[in-house]
Amino acid sequence: MKSSPSLYQWLPLAFLAIFLTTVAATPFNITRLLQGRQSRSGGIVSKALPEDFKRLYYQQTLDHFNYKPESYQRFQQRYVMLDKYWDKVDGAKTAPIFAYLGDENLLDSRIGSLTGYASDFKALLVYIEHRYYGESNPATQENFKGSKNLGYLNSAQALADYAEILIHIKEKNNAVESPIIVIGGSYGGMLAYWFRLKYPHIALGALASSAPILYFDDIMRQNKITSAISQIFKEASNKCYETIKQSWSEIDAAASRDRGLTKLSNTFKTCSELRHSSELKNYLESLYMKAAQSGQPVVQRMCESIDETPNQGEDGTLNKIFAGVVAALSDDTKCYVNPSSSLAFKWQRCSEILMPKRHGRSETMFEAVPPNQMELMTKECQSLYSVTPRPHWLTTYYGGHNMKLILKSFGSNIIFSNGLKDPFRHGGVLEDISTTIHAVTIKDGGHCEDIFPNAGTDSQWLATVTRDEYKIIQKWITQYDTDRKSSSD
């Protein structure tokens, strides 16, 4: 088993559902592996812009799909370019452009990665930040009218942002004929796939890494992912698995005692006092998911701490669980649970990105989900934003059902890559759909490791996977260049 760095500090939400509610558990919850340059213990390190990278801003349209006066407002959207490898062929730039489509993470943690694509293909490399994240947040930009309206934050608007910026880059750099390959991981991988479907005239192809595009509606059996996560913990230590499974009821019991939430807050060193036990349980559930995504070494370290901590006194189990939390996170973590974070992804979860979880105590180490989870989710979102979730909208807008049949008839030039050690592979495409829609599986790979490898990633299998992806992309570009020249004759 290859080594892996420790876990990571929290970034804004990252598919994390920490709702301050009065229900026992949040009905929908998905997390992702946080990538980027990591400290010895795995914490994300703030990165200065690497040499040769250019930081740029585009005056982006607020609302691409409406013609009301307020729709024409503009906000600054950040993007970064690396052009040192970009080849100029016959006096015109026809070498490819590789565009990383930003996700719910800070763009800074991505910049500097994927340079292999730029050097090997003599390409222009572009990173575009997702609206409402990082520096591209209208709500934080001065004199922005209507900045509190999160209704402008959704995946369709984000895709339109990328389309505008990429066209702008091609025009500004006299590169109208340069083919574009879009790349993304996890939520960003879904965006890359959706971009190829919605903007085939802009993107020649897409690499969607660890993209759980089937994790919506009833397309897949939802407990597959939580069962896979549970199995990873069980293989590390059955005792640890049973402790976690038992802890949910003990957290509720502790919270129900006199000054229980205050005592729980002290035990887990929360960043602010808990208002309900669900805050703690949601945090822990997401942490276990992240640990499973990051690889067996992190899970092993968590379980060793849980197993080795004495089970003494009334709060013995809770002390064991907290020891696992400390083992997972970076050494300089100041507090745990409900850290201050952006509301952006909470909004996206309440509006369009609803990934239901269904698991029972008999099947997994997680707490059973109530049968009325959609009702509870609606109550939460109405309380937070006065909106009702639209659980079927993503599959209506992008598709998802009968994926193989539908994509085979009209889709092309897509790579779905998944690590077989990643529990979220169950929501991804694992088999080729056609001669131009490929599934690349990575036997020992984790979440997004083909595009954002961890420090301990096995270089041999990574090189093999990268070579396979490069060959596919090169075939797309070669065919495009042949067609381009034929059309100009």
Side-chain angles (χ1 to χ4, degrees):
M1 179 70 68
K2 63 183 183 300
S3 63
S4 174
S6 302
L7 223 48
Y8 22 69
Q9 285 178 331
W10 301 96
L11 289 180
L13 295 173
F15 278 4
L16 175 62
I18 302 180
F19 279 91
L20 310 182
T21 76
T22 57
V23 297
T26 300
F28 297 84
N29 193 357
I30 185 171
T31 182
R32 61 164 296 161
L33 177 61
L34 302 177
Q35 298 285 352
R37 184 167 65 89
Q38 299 184 331
S39 65
R40 179 186 64 80
S41 59
I44 295 293
V45 178
S46 178
K47 298 174 64 175
L49 196 65
E51 188 178 357
D52 298 321
F53 285 77
K54 300 175 182 177
R55 186 190 306 269
L56 300 163
Y57 295 86
Y58 180 74
Q59 292 299 312
Q60 187 60 262
T61 304
L62 177 62
D63 183 0
H64 299 282
F65 305 108
N66 206 307
Y67 295 91
K68 294 181 179 180
E70 58 267 28
S71 300
Y72 291 86
Q73 295 176 87
R74 300 271 179 169
F75 68 94
Q76 283 199 131
Q77 185 164 11
R78 179 170 56 147
Y79 66 102
V80 172
M81 293 197 328
L82 175 68
D83 61 6
K84 66 179 290 186
Y85 301 107
W86 201 15
D87 192 19
K88 299 179 181 179
V89 181
D90 298 329
K93 293 178 181 175
T94 54
I97 298 171
F98 285 85
Y100 173 78
L101 303 187
D103 47 46
E104 79 282 10
N105 291 306
L106 295 174
L107 188 65
D108 305 72
S109 64
R110 307 306 194 218
I111 298 169
S113 58
L114 304 176
T115 52
Y117 288 92
S119 60
D120 291 350
F121 285 91
K122 298 181 180 179
L124 174 66
L125 186 58
V126 180
Y127 307 81
I128 310 175
E129 194 163 58
H130 193 298
R131 61 166 53 200
Y132 283 82
Y133 294 100
E135 294 183 23
S136 302
N137 187 354
T140 63
Q141 295 181 15
E142 189 175 357
N143 298 325
F144 187 83
K145 297 179 181 179
S147 60
K148 295 182 179 180
N149 190 342
L150 287 171
Y152 299 113
L153 169 57
N154 58 66
S155 60
Q157 296 279 10
L159 296 182
D161 290 343
Y162 302 144
E164 272 207 21
I165 290 178
L166 289 172
I167 290 174
H168 167 75
I169 289 171
K170 293 181 78 170
E171 292 176 346
K172 185 177 180 180
N173 292 277
N174 187 30
V176 176
E177 293 188 329
S178 290
I180 295 175
I181 308 297
V182 293
I183 301 173
S186 201
Y187 170 50
M190 292 191 284
L191 291 171
Y193 159 61
W194 292 335
F195 191 90
R196 170 60 185 166
L197 294 185
K198 296 295 185 181
Y199 296 93
H201 56 291
I202 297 177
L204 174 66
L207 169 56
S209 177
S210 299
I213 62 171
L214 304 180
Y215 198 5
F216 296 100
D217 271 0
D218 57 352
I219 298 174
M220 60 168 281
R221 185 165 57 87
Q222 309 299 350
N223 65 351
K224 278 188 175 182
I225 291 175
T226 48
S227 294
I229 294 168
S230 299
Q231 186 61 32
I232 291 172
F233 276 83
K234 199 168 189 177
E235 289 173 357
S237 166
N238 188 67
K239 183 179 178 182
C240 171
Y241 167 90
E242 291 295 338
T243 300
I244 293 172
K245 191 171 185 177
Q246 176 186 347
S247 67
W248 310 111
S249 60
E250 297 209 14
I251 289 172
D252 283 335
S256 66
R257 300 184 195 121
D258 182 42
R259 300 187 70 249
L261 288 174
T262 298
K263 292 177 181 178
L264 270 179
S265 300
N266 293 335
T267 298
F268 283 88
K269 298 182 180 179
T270 62
C271 301
S272 59
E273 186 161 329
L274 297 170
R275 289 193 268 175
H276 196 276
S277 61
S278 62
E279 292 178 66
L280 174 58
K281 291 189 290 187
N282 289 330
Y283 176 93
L284 292 172
E285 180 172 317
S286 295
L287 188 66
Y288 299 144
M289 289 181 174
K290 290 178 182 178
Q293 285 178 315
S294 66
Q296 188 71 22
V298 177
V299 175
Q300 191 69 44
R301 185 168 58 255
M302 288 184 72
C303 281
E304 287 175 357
S305 294
I306 289 173
D307 291 345
E308 292 171 3
T309 300
N311 189 358
Q312 298 176 345
E314 185 178 48
D315 296 328
T317 297
L318 301 184
N319 291 331
K320 292 169 77 70
I321 294 297
F322 179 64
V325 171
V326 173
L329 300 180
S330 61
D331 297 335
D332 59 352
T333 301
K334 305 300 182 186
C335 63
Y336 308 88
V337 191
N338 53 39
S340 59
S341 59
S342 166
L343 290 176
F345 212 83
K346 285 184 181 179
W347 163 263
Q348 286 194 265
R349 285 188 58 259
C350 266
S351 54
E352 61 170 354
I353 301 180
L354 278 75
M355 296 181 169
K357 62 179 185 182
R358 300 189 182 102
H359 46 253
R361 287 182 61 86
S362 61
E363 300 173 326
T364 77
M365 67 182 193
F366 295 98
E367 186 176 33
V369 173
N372 62 335
Q373 59 173 320
M374 193 62 225
E375 178 184 334
L376 296 174
M377 182 66 173
T378 299
K379 182 178 179 181
E380 289 180 296
C381 294
Q382 284 285 350
S383 174
L384 285 168
Y385 305 111
S386 299
V387 298
T388 298
R390 299 169 64 184
H392 309 297
W393 174 242
L394 278 186
T395 54
T396 300
Y397 191 63
Y398 299 113
H401 295 281
N402 299 317
M403 176 68 70
K404 188 170 184 179
L405 175 64
I406 301 300
L407 273 188
K408 190 174 183 180
S409 67
F410 84 98
S412 65
N413 292 6
I414 301 168
I415 299 173
F416 294 106
S417 63
N418 284 278
L420 297 184
K421 297 294 185 181
D422 177 15
F424 284 84
R425 72 187 184 278
H426 292 294
V429 176
L430 303 178
E431 296 180 353
D432 288 354
I433 290 178
S434 70
T435 57
T436 60
I437 302 179
H438 305 271
V440 174
T441 55
I442 310 164
K443 181 180 178 182
D444 294 318
H447 200 66
C448 301
E449 277 197 281
D450 58 327
I451 60 174
F452 302 120
N454 286 314
T457 298
D458 187 317
S459 59
Q460 184 174 358
W461 68 251
L462 179 61
T464 300
V465 170
T466 302
R467 184 173 63 249
D468 291 343
E469 293 175 348
Y470 278 23
K471 286 180 179 178
I472 295 169
I473 293 172
Q474 184 61 67
K475 187 176 180 180
W476 296 344
I477 294 173
T478 300
Q479 184 62 54
Y480 168 81
D481 197 47
T482 299
D483 296 340
R484 181 185 62 84
K485 290 177 180 178
S486 298
S487 65
S488 62
D489 291 342

